[in-house]
Every structure is written in structure tokens, then in C-alpha cells.
Amino acid sequence: MLAESWLTALLAAAIPCVAARPDPDLWRRAMTVAGDTKACGLSDPAPTVKAPKTNPWAPISPEDAAAVWDYVHSPDVGLNLTAPANATQTDNYVYFVETLQTNKSQVLPYIDGDRPIPDKYARVVIFEGGKEVPVSQEYMVGPLPIDSKTSIQKLDYIFNGGSGGAVPYNARYYDGKRSAASEPLLKSIMAEIADITLELFDGVYYGSGDNRTNITPGSPTPVSFDGTQAYRNIMFRYPGLATYLAPIDLFVLLDVTGTDASKYFLKGIVTNSRFFPTVADLRKAYEAGELKSEFPQTRNTDWGLLNYKPEMGVRDLEDRLAPQSIELGGKRYKLDTEQQYVEFMGWSFYMSFSRTLGIQFFDIRFKGERVLYELSLQEAAAQYAGYQPKAANTALCIFEADSGYPLARHRTGASNDYGFSRLASVKGSALHTRAVATVGNYDYLFDYAFHVDGSLEITVRASGYLQSSPYYKNQSRFGPRIQQGTQGSYHDHILTFKADFDIVDTQNSLQVTELVTVNQTQPWYPELGSFAQMELNTTLMQTEQQFNWAPNGQAMYSVISSNLTNAWGEKRGYRLIPGRSNIHLSVHDSPWSRKQSTFLKSSLAVTRQHDAEVFANSWQNINLPEAPQHDFAKFFDGEGVDDEDLVVWFNLGMHHFTRAEDIPVTLYTEAVSSIVFAPQNFNDRAQEGDLRNRRWIATDAKTGKLEYEDYGIALPTCKVELEEPTLKISEWTTV
Ligand SMILES: *[C@@H]1O[C@H](CO)[C@@H](O)[C@H](O)[C@H]1NC(C)=O
Ligand SMILES: *[C@@H]1O[C@H](CO)[C@@H](O)[C@H](O)[C@H]1NC(C)=O
Ligand SMILES: *[C@@H]1O[C@H](CO)[C@@H](O)[C@H](O)[C@H]1NC(C)=O
Ligand SMILES: *[C@@H]1O[C@H](CO)[C@@H](O)[C@H](O)[C@H]1NC(C)=O
Ligand SMILES: *[C@@H]1O[C@H](CO)[C@@H](O)[C@H](O)[C@H]1NC(C)=O
Ligand SMILES: *[C@@H]1O[C@H](CO)[C@@H](O)[C@H](O)[C@H]1NC(C)=O
Ligand SMILES: *[C@@H]1O[C@H](CO)[C@@H](O)[C@H](O)[C@H]1NC(C)=O
Ligand SMILES: *[C@@H]1O[C@H](CO)[C@@H](O)[C@H](O)[C@H]1NC(C)=O
Ligand SMILES: [Cu+2]
């Protein structure tokens, strides 16, 4: 029993960061079990610390958000709002309330000086379908908390597209109220062809509330190109847990321009790669027997579930628990949970959270000196659709883990000439801040690893259901067949990040160090004549630009301080090191991403920091590929970036070459992309000499005497007594 209790306790300790919680009660019981293992420090909370300053980036409180809600609904403010629960698309209603990011120009005098903390503002999105010219309009409300000084104004300055915070109705985010408005038309069309869909696809659609309905409509984006029109290209799938993998070959194209649903109409129906402008055209082809499905979709999609499949057999020793990551001896990081502030091995940073961006990091310092002012995700896009992470699904967790390799290792003086040898090895570990964001059909796993040597690694992984297509023999150019009736459609995943570097202060430059080949002569090699040599060619980027990693990695990019040098007179900096799969968008002129996603089209970009250029994107750009609300391309207006406050934008992502192994879900081992920021002469030497988690082994060749130094850092011993094991390992399903 004890063995099982141990495992349970260890698993409970390890689980918060690797697994979803299957059920809150199980979770509570497991924590109780883990709570008994105090002796090992396994379940001790992280030590606390007081943040140097109140977090100026923190999200507004739930109380303030509720007060803002009441404020905008009050008749005095005059917005004529309907409660969202009762609203239709032709009413005015609040879509969301969130925190407006505080201006850097207002934060620096506070965080670095003695100015008071800047005022907080809320950002409120109101869908104004009840206006004569219906729009979506963003507002800023503040200062908070609400008092006599609070006012509401249009939030225009974070959008540079020309219409500020306004988005035309047609391009407004396609929410449930808009779907509801076009539902009667969809229902009538689908009822008219129910006999056809029943025979061809074993499916009928009479509306979502009708108990005969057995196929599910889905609407890809964009729904508009420039806001002057709106359409829905509705696809259908078999419902169920694996619905994304069970598409059927039926697409209904509706024109849904404007708020008057009586004017909506059918543009056509697509099946068998053929377009039928009217129901009558479809019926004619059907009656002529031209529409048989070659590879019908399977109703039973158990093959698409991420569960144990006994029919696949067993692997030897797989009945044993896999290794778990645990923090034996107590946590080595400190938290100020109220201020969302973290300290770890010389690192310190604040965190914030936004509905549209997920987790954000601010004032990231190493040994007291600022490296980054801000690090945050800007967009998670797929080739055919850009969408935003949804806050509701994010689970944040922090833990330290073994790096899986030593930070450094070397054996020296092994030869008998010296009579002795030394072997040294330094433990590698990193603090991971990890968040999982479910964005539609994918679970993106974001990992920010703060390594003990001062480097910061950002990794993103994608797992989940493919947006698949019905399979056709003659469409293999879009991807392979991956199930009976399913094709894995090729696509790109691109995740855009903002890295506002401040190498100690805001006066920085972007240094490019190219490896160039030059022909040289060297007097002591007369026989070689002129011969090729490598040289470093170091330059500073002069103006704002988008750029890509040099082929063969033959250039190093570093953000350096304009003025600060280390002990050796070298400019202090941090280097950008490509990791795995540093891709950008493949198609640069697709009508679905033509102008609203310029930031996806290069691996890197550098711009000058401005309070009004906070974001690479606007969350409503998705339906405005031809007339973006916010246009990243406009950032590049020739401003200098040498000796300036600069921002680096970078993309991580994957070209998703789909495969049978994407069933049931895409695997994190392969769908991964990363980047590392590493000190480049930021320090005077490697940041390891002050770490005691190391071994120093000296051997004397003559005497054979061996000295072993562990600096007093040893495996903690502890005794665990558990009253009653309450959980079986099998009750934990990791996700
Ligand atoms: C919605 O409308 C109903 C009927 O008019 C009303 O009773 C209810 O209070 C409204 N709900 C909200 C949240 O205003
Ligand atoms: C208020 O909004 C409703 C739609 O919800 C609209 O019918 C009405 O005309 C609006 N009233 C004013 C004064 O604008
Ligand atoms: C479906 O709904 C109809 C009408 O409400 C009802 O008469 C029928 O019993 C329902 N059938 C099933 C299988 O629930
Ligand atoms: C591909 O196959 C479909 C279904 O068999 C057929 O309708 C379509 O014309 C074919 N397309 C091409 C380009 O051959
Ligand atoms: C070096 O010299 C070789 C032989 O003369 C020539 O082909 C080559 O282009 C030169 N390379 C550079 C980088 O100048
Ligand atoms: C060094 O880079 C600069 C700027 O790109 C370029 O003009 C120059 O020719 C390069 N020098 C060598 C030796 O490649
Ligand atoms: C850089 O340092 C020099 C010497 O201390 C100083 O004169 C100069 O103003 C500094 N430049 C900037 C941009 O801070
Ligand atoms: C932030 O900066 C922008 C651009 O300068 C300005 O328009 C805006 O009013 C500032 N926000 C606050 C809350 O002061
Ligand atoms: Cu994918």
C-alpha cells in the first residue's frame, strides 16, 4: 500500500503542470494526500516575497469590471444597451470588458522612479447593431475605480487602420447572435434538400434545436473581406467529441450582408468539388446519380478519441509509472501571488493576463537588471483563420524542472603529465511558466523557461484535432488521407510574440553579426596565396524592418545596449537564437490574410516602441483582410532603431504537414517551435560559478585518491506516512 501512496503523492505533486484536472473532488483529495508529505517539501507552497512595487500591469479587479459593466449600462451614459441575454444582432450590447494595457511611458516613471502608479482603464467592446450605421465600437473607461473623475471615450489610439475602435457590422466578430439571424435561411435550405443529404451523407439538418438534426454546421473565418459584405461558408460535420475529424462533403454558402435577415440569400452549395448556384441545380445532379460519395465519413468516431486503445496491444514494462518531475526539498522560487510577481535564481518578473493575449510578462530582470520590459503573445493564427486564445480555457502553472542535461560539464587534466584530473558538472534546471490555451480545435502549450544561466527559452507546442476535410482521391496535393473519409488538410500555424527588450535601459540597438567569407593572404602562408577565411561583419540595423533568419544560421542577432559595456568593454546584450521550426506564413498573398496579418509574413521584425503601437494585431482583424482595423505594415514608416527604445516581434510556428499520426490528435513532440534569448556579453562571465548544485571531483593519478565535493547540496531524505491512500493512479488521466 505504501508504494501506491508514494506514487499517488508524487503524482499529485507533479500533476498540476502536466495534466488537466479530471474532477475537482479528486483533485482536492489528491492534494490532501500530497499535504501529508511535508517532510520532503513536496507539497510546501513556494516561499513568499513582497514585490518591489504594486503591479501596474495587473488586470483590473472583478469588482472594477462589474462596476464598469454597470457604468456603461447606466442610462446617464446613454449607450442604449440591451442585456446580452436578451439582445439580438440589431441591439446594442456589451461583448466584453477587459483591461486596457497601461502605457509604457506612464509605467517607467513609476517602476523606475518615484511617480505614483498610473491610472487603470477598462477596455469595453460594444456591439452596436442598434445604431443607424451598425458597428462594433471599443471604448476606454477610467480612471478606475469608478468615481466622479471616470469617463468613457472611444478607444481609437491602439488601432491605426483609419477607423479607430470602430469595425463595420459586416466584419464584426461572428457571434451567436449573428448566427441566429441567418439560421432560418440555413434551416429552410437544408430542409429542402433533406432527402439528398440523408442519402448522400446519412445526415439531415432542421436547425440546432430539432431532435431530427444529426449533422453540425460550422463557420470558418473570415466572414468578410473589407466590411462591405458578409458571407458564411458553412461546412458540416458529424457531431460528437471528435467532430473536427468527421467532416462531410457539404458546404452551404450564404450571403449575410447587413442586419436585415430578410435580405440574406443562398450563394450556392458545394459538394464533390462542384458548385451548384441553386438547390435545383444540386437536385438535378443528384437525380442524375453524379454525387455519390467515394469515401463516406464514419458515423462512429471512436478512432478520434484520445483514450487508451486496447486493440493496439501492449508494450513491455508499460505497466510501470513513467518518470515524474517533482521539486524535492522545497520549491526554489518565490511568489507574490497578489502582485503576480516571481523571483527565481536571480530572475524576477511580473505577470499579467489578458482575455485577448493570454499571459504576459513584464519587467523581466536578471540579477536586478532589466532584460525585457514586456514579453507577450500577440496572435495564434492558422493559415485560413486567425483567432485569439480564449482566456476561459487557460490554466497557468509554475514549476522548476531538470533541464535534462547539465548546464556545463568538463573533465580536464586527465593526462598523467599533470598527475591529477578534475571533473566538474553543474546542474541544469529552469523555472517553467506554462499555460495551455484551447483555441478552437487546438490546445496550444506555451512554455516560458527561465534557465539558471540567464537564458530564456520560449516554446510553443500544438496538439489537438485537425481542421480536416472530406477525402478525395484527386486532392492529395492538399494533404494525405488519414482515415476512411478524412483528409488531413495542410496548414500553417503561426504564433506572433512581442519582445520589448530593454537591455538595462531603453537605449538599445539591434546588432547583426554576419559570418562572411573573405579572401585573405597571410605572410606566413606564402604557399596558400589568397585563401578563404571566415570573418565577423558587425553592423547595426538602422531602420524599422521585417526580416528573416539568415540561411545556415550565418548571422547573429543581438539586442545590445547603446552605451553600457561589460568589464571587457563589449556592449552588453541579449542574443536571439532560433530554436526549432522558426517559420513564418508560407502564402503572402492569400485573400484570407492579405493585409491584416503582415506580422505573420516574416520570422522577425524590429520597430521603435510607441504607446500607440502596443499590439501587432487587432482581435477583430480576422474579418478585415482587405481593410484591417489595425495594420502592422504601418509600423514600418522609416523610423530609426539605432540607440532607441526598440521592440522585437517574432513568430513561432509549424508548417503542419499532416499525417496519419495526427489521428486522434496532433502530437506535441513534432508540432513544436521555440526561440532562446541568451546573454551576449551581458555579463562578464558565465552565470554558473555562483551555483552550488554542482559536483567537483578531483583525482590524484599517483595515489588514486579521489575528492568529491558536493557543496553540501544533497538529496533530501524524508519519511512519508500516509494515513490512507485515497487515489489510484489510474484515476488520473493526463491530457
Ligand atoms: C430579459 O427580458 C426579460 C423579459 O422582458 C426580463 O424579464 C429580464 O429581466 C431581461 N433580462 C435582463 C438580464 O435584463
Ligand atoms: C435603442 O436601441 C434599440 C435597439 O435595441 C433601438 O431600436 C432604438 O431605436 C434605440 N434607441 C435610440 C434612442 O437610439
Ligand atoms: C422529437 O420531438 C418531437 C416534437 O417535439 C417529439 O414529438 C418526439 O417525441 C421527439 N423525438 C425524440 C426521439 O425525442
Ligand atoms: C475530383 O473528384 C471529384 C469527385 O470524384 C470530381 O467531382 C472532380 O471533378 C475531380 N476533380 C478533378 C480536378 O479531377
Ligand atoms: C575568393 O577568391 C576566389 C578565387 O579567386 C574567387 O572565386 C572568390 O569569388 C573569392 N571570394 C570572395 C568572397 O571574394
Ligand atoms: C558588411 O556588411 C555591410 C552591410 O551589410 C556590407 O555593406 C559590407 O559589404 C559587408 N562586408 C563584408 C566584408 O562582407
Ligand atoms: C553614453 O555615455 C556617454 C559617456 O558616459 C555619455 O556622454 C552619453 O550621453 C551617453 N549616451 C547616451 C545615449 O546615454
Ligand atoms: C496612452 O498613450 C496614447 C498614445 O500616446 C494616448 O492617446 C492615451 O491617451 C494614453 N492613455 C492613457 C490612459 O493616458
Ligand atoms: Cu495543425
Side-chain angles (χ1 to χ4, degrees):
M1 267 339 253
L2 188 66
E4 190 187 72
S5 313
W6 247 108
L7 295 178
T8 305
L10 294 187
L11 202 54
I15 228 145
C17 298
V18 295
R21 303 170 191 189
D23 119 29
D25 190 49
L26 277 187
W27 176 249
R28 190 180 47 71
R29 284 156 56 205
M31 288 316 284
T32 312
V33 175
D36 292 334
T37 63
K38 278 197 190 66
C40 314
L42 266 183
S43 59
D44 291 356
T48 57
V49 64
K50 192 167 160 29
K53 301 245 170 157
T54 300
N55 185 341
W57 305 278
I60 59 173
S61 67
E63 294 73 29
D64 276 346
V68 167
W69 182 275
D70 293 342
Y71 176 85
V72 296
H73 283 85
S74 72
D76 298 351
V77 173
L79 288 171
N80 184 22
L81 300 185
T82 304
N86 284 351
T88 70
Q89 62 166 355
T90 54
D91 294 315
N92 309 315
Y93 56 95
V94 176
Y95 187 59
F96 68 74
V97 176
E98 83 150 326
T99 311
L100 180 63
Q101 188 158 324
T102 311
N103 286 336
K104 184 175 180 182
S105 65
Q106 285 159 312
V107 172
L108 286 182
Y110 160 72
I111 204 87
D112 291 340
D114 54 8
R115 303 292 303 154
I117 190 164
D119 287 334
K120 298 295 287 189
Y121 284 77
R123 178 177 172 182
V124 186
V125 180
I126 299 181
F127 284 171
E128 299 180 334
K131 287 241 169 104
E132 202 170 313
V133 179
V135 289
S136 159
Q137 179 67 54
E138 292 209 26
Y139 294 91
M140 59 193 274
V141 175
L144 300 178
I146 286 183
D147 64 18
S148 59
K149 292 201 299 294
T150 303
S151 68
I152 179 165
Q153 36 188 310
K154 287 187 174 167
L155 174 58
D156 291 333
Y157 74 87
I158 59 171
F159 306 106
N160 66 10
S163 308
V167 167
Y169 170 82
N170 286 319
R172 156 184 133 180
Y173 183 81
Y174 208 88
D175 67 341
K177 315 249 181 253
R178 287 186 75 184
S179 286
S182 58
E183 176 75 0
L185 173 64
L186 178 63
K187 263 162 57 171
S188 75
I189 295 161
M190 291 300 290
E192 213 182 325
I193 59 170
D195 59 323
I196 303 178
T197 61
L198 183 65
E199 187 185 324
L200 293 181
F201 311 113
D202 180 32
V204 288
Y205 186 78
Y206 290 102
S208 57
D210 191 292
N211 63 13
R212 292 166 295 172
T213 291
N214 61 1
I215 51 177
T216 313
S219 283
T221 48
V223 301
S224 181
F225 291 110
D226 61 7
T228 61
Q229 76 294 90
Y231 55 88
R232 277 184 86 185
N233 292 349
I234 298 158
M235 59 187 299
F236 285 88
R237 303 185 180 99
Y238 285 156
L241 292 171
T243 185
Y244 280 106
L245 299 175
I248 60 174
D249 183 24
L250 177 68
F251 302 84
V252 175
L253 280 43
L254 305 182
D255 188 296
V256 294
T257 302
T259 51
D260 181 354
S262 71
K263 299 207 171 105
Y264 298 168
F265 61 90
L266 174 70
K267 288 171 70 184
I269 297 171
V270 175
T271 183
N272 264 39
S273 306
R274 288 172 64 184
F275 176 73
F276 302 99
T278 66
V279 166
D281 295 323
L282 176 78
R283 188 167 292 283
K284 206 165 136 217
Y286 164 69
E287 281 167 359
E290 294 165 16
L291 300 181
K292 289 271 170 290
S293 270
E294 236 183 322
F295 300 95
Q297 190 50 267
T298 56
R299 259 291 167 196
N300 179 339
T301 51
D302 284 354
W303 49 265
L305 298 183
L306 189 53
N307 58 357
Y308 176 59
K309 311 272 185 328
E311 74 274 16
M312 289 178 73
V314 292
R315 298 192 204 185
D316 199 19
L317 300 185
E318 221 283 316
D319 53 343
R320 297 185 178 177
L321 182 72
Q324 306 291 318
S325 187
I326 52 170
E327 296 161 302
L328 275 176
K331 297 185 177 23
R332 307 203 308 160
Y333 53 91
K334 294 179 174 178
L335 301 177
D336 181 335
T337 44
E338 201 185 325
Q339 299 306 329
Q340 300 173 19
Y341 172 80
V342 180
E343 285 184 0
F344 166 72
M345 297 290 139
W347 287 102
S348 68
F349 54 89
Y350 290 85
M351 289 194 289
S352 186
F353 188 79
S354 110
R355 182 190 189 279
T356 42
L357 305 179
I359 42 171
Q360 295 177 280
F361 297 84
F362 289 97
D363 195 16
I364 299 176
R365 296 174 190 231
F366 187 65
K367 295 196 172 173
E369 292 182 301
R370 187 170 299 144
V371 176
L372 287 144
Y373 172 81
E374 177 188 350
L375 175 62
S376 54
L377 178 69
Q378 299 289 301
E379 174 65 291
Q383 181 192 15
Y384 32 70
Y387 31 64
Q388 299 283 349
K390 288 183 184 59
N393 292 310
T394 304
L396 175 73
C397 75
I398 297 181
F399 61 100
E400 184 184 0
D402 187 304
S403 299
Y405 55 88
L407 184 65
R409 182 194 193 279
H410 193 53
R411 180 176 166 162
T412 188
S415 137
N416 278 340
D417 302 350
Y418 295 93
F420 59 86
S421 76
R422 299 285 184 272
L423 170 65
S425 178
V426 189
K427 174 83 180 170
S429 74
L431 185 77
H432 294 259
T433 302
R434 187 172 277 194
V436 179
T438 304
V439 183
N441 42 322
Y442 272 99
D443 283 15
Y444 288 100
L445 192 154
F446 298 95
D447 188 89
Y448 300 84
F450 296 84
H451 292 269
V452 287
D453 65 351
S455 54
L456 168 53
E457 182 172 16
I458 302 147
T459 307
V460 60
R461 293 182 153 82
S463 183
Y465 288 136
L466 289 175
Q467 284 259 23
S468 52
S469 305
Y471 175 67
Y472 279 101
K473 254 189 197 152
N474 63 10
Q475 291 188 3
S476 61
R477 65 190 185 283
F478 298 122
R481 182 187 188 190
I482 55 172
Q483 271 291 333
Q484 153 76 22
T486 306
Q487 179 188 52
S489 315
Y490 172 82
H491 53 277
D492 282 352
H493 292 268
I494 319 279
L495 298 108
T496 306
F497 292 81
K498 174 186 184 184
D500 180 348
F501 279 92
D502 280 0
I503 301 300
V504 185
D505 59 32
T506 56
Q507 278 164 311
N508 293 173
S509 300
L510 187 76
Q511 187 187 57
V512 184
T513 306
E514 263 183 286
L515 285 178
V516 293
T517 311
V518 291
N519 285 333
Q520 295 186 337
T521 54
Q522 292 180 357
W524 46 89
Y525 280 133
E527 65 275 27
L528 290 181
S530 169
F531 64 95
Q533 261 275 40
M534 271 194 304
E535 247 181 40
L536 300 179
N537 186 21
T538 302
T539 53
L540 298 178
M541 272 201 191
Q542 293 303 313
T543 51
E544 299 181 308
Q545 59 196 277
Q546 291 189 263
F547 57 103
N548 288 314
W549 301 103
N552 195 36
Q554 272 186 235
M556 168 172 82
Y557 303 92
S558 304
V559 179
I560 59 166
S561 169
S562 308
N563 235 14
L564 302 172
T565 53
N566 68 4
W568 319 115
E570 298 292 339
K571 294 269 172 71
R572 303 180 64 189
Y574 257 71
R575 177 184 170 194
L576 316 173
I577 306 173
R580 280 180 278 190
S581 187
N582 293 101
I583 64 148
H584 55 75
L585 195 67
S586 315
V587 190
H588 283 211
D589 197 30
S590 156
W592 289 277
S593 58
R594 188 166 285 138
K595 291 183 183 159
Q596 97 281 46
S597 47
T598 307
F599 47 86
L600 302 178
K601 297 177 185 175
S602 66
S603 289
L604 297 155
V606 60
T607 65
R608 185 158 343 151
Q609 194 280 332
H610 291 292
D611 284 342
E613 292 181 357
V614 205
F615 307 114
N617 195 13
S618 145
W619 69 278
Q620 292 211 87
N621 259 4
I622 181 66
N623 293 323
L624 286 164
E626 296 288 357
Q629 181 187 26
H630 188 52
D631 186 355
F632 188 65
K634 291 190 178 168
F635 285 22
F636 304 94
D637 51 3
E639 281 184 309
V641 287
D642 179 17
D643 194 13
E644 293 292 346
D645 185 2
L646 55 84
V647 177
V648 172
W649 311 82
F650 65 94
N651 284 316
L652 300 181
M654 316 96 201
H655 295 304
H656 195 156
F657 296 102
T658 53
R659 53 178 186 166
E661 288 85 355
D662 282 311
I663 299 293
V665 297
T666 300
L667 303 174
Y668 280 142
T669 42
E670 182 236 13
V672 54
S673 178
S674 62
I675 193 171
V676 175
F677 302 150
Q680 181 72 21
N681 305 316
F682 187 80
N683 311 291
D684 301 337
R685 55 173 155 173
Q687 297 300 295
E688 55 74 31
D690 52 351
L691 298 173
R692 293 200 298 157
N693 276 262
R694 68 200 302 143
R695 298 290 182 267
W696 175 257
I697 301 164
T699 42
D700 187 315
K702 289 198 192 87
T703 63
K705 204 174 148 237
L706 190 135
E707 280 171 41
Y708 180 93
E709 178 61 82
D710 68 5
Y711 304 95
I713 311 290
L715 190 69
T717 52
C718 56
K719 192 173 158 220
V720 181
E721 282 167 23
L722 294 173
E723 283 166 18
E724 189 193 339
T726 50
L727 268 181
K728 288 202 194 71
I729 290 143
S730 59
E731 288 181 82
W732 291 92
T733 314
T734 56
V735 172

